[in-house]
């Protein structure tokens, strides 16, 4: 399955190849202050392939807080956060916002709350390495799906 997503104005877009085709997409509604304020609900397929394209790099803002181990890729034009990245041991990992999906008709999305308060940094990074998308690349433009 190829999942396309983007911020509201389209400046930050992504293409996520999810194989095999999922019967459902599990997503976590993060309970941190930032995600609550932004309605952040994230998903990842560790075996997936994610390509991220930014139309105008001057309108890409990266926001990090707390442990500063993740970068929220924020569109400075429309304010949407379609992707979060984390560089761990020199490797880029990511999760995507289900709210930025363009169309996943026919595939149920199962939302569940997630709370990572009290998780130490080493545990957090190990969890991301296990659960986040491991094949991540920023590209000049997305190939037509």
């Amino acid at each position: 399955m190829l999942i396309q997503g983007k911020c509201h104005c389209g400046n930050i877009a992504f293409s996520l190849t999810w194989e095999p085709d999922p019967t459902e997409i599990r997503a976590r509604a993060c309970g941190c202050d930032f995600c609550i304020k932004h309605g952040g609900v994230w998903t990842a397929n560790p075996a997936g392939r994610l390509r991220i394209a930014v139309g105008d790099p001057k309108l890409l803002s990266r926001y990090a807080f707390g442990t500063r181990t993740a970068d929220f890729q924020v569109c400075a034009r429309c304010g949407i956060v379609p992707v979060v990245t984390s560089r761990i041991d020199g490797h880029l990992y990511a999760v995507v916002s289900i709210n930025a999906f363009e169309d996943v008709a026919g595939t149920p999305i199962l939302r569940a709350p997630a709370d990572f308060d009290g998780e130490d940094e080493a545990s957090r990074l190990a969890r991301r390495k296990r659960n986040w998308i491991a094949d991540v690349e920023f590209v000049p433009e997305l190939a037509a799906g």
Side-chain angles (χ1 to χ4, degrees):
M1 170 183 263
L2 182 64
I3 300 171
Q4 302 286 347
K6 63 182 179 180
C7 65
H8 190 258
C9 71
N11 187 54
I12 304 171
F14 65 82
S15 176
L16 172 58
T17 303
W18 192 306
E19 293 179 0
D21 284 359
T23 56
E24 63 188 25
I25 295 174
R26 296 187 179 269
R28 64 175 179 81
C30 184
C32 78
D33 289 345
F34 185 82
C35 288
I36 288 172
K37 290 178 185 286
H38 282 271
V41 183
W42 311 100
T43 194
N45 174 357
R49 179 176 182 249
L50 179 66
R51 297 300 175 256
I52 307 161
V54 178
D56 184 348
K58 290 179 269 180
L59 295 175
L60 174 66
S61 177
R62 290 182 174 91
Y63 180 68
F65 65 98
T67 61
R68 302 208 185 296
T69 57
D71 288 323
F72 290 77
Q73 309 293 326
V74 183
C75 179
R77 179 184 296 135
C78 67
I80 303 300
V81 183
V83 177
V84 180
T85 58
S86 183
R87 187 161 298 280
I88 305 168
D89 300 328
H91 188 87
L92 192 62
Y93 295 85
V95 292
V96 296
S97 170
I98 65 164
N99 296 321
F101 284 4
E102 287 298 295
D103 184 21
V104 290
T107 304
I109 297 175
L110 303 177
R111 299 172 191 232
D115 183 358
F116 303 113
D117 284 347
E119 184 178 54
D120 66 35
E121 187 173 317
S123 297
R124 182 166 299 200
L125 296 177
R127 174 180 47 79
R128 289 178 186 161
K129 284 173 85 170
R130 280 190 316 273
N131 299 326
W132 285 28
I133 303 160
D135 184 350
V136 179
E137 184 180 356
F138 281 86
V139 295
E141 62 184 42
L142 295 176

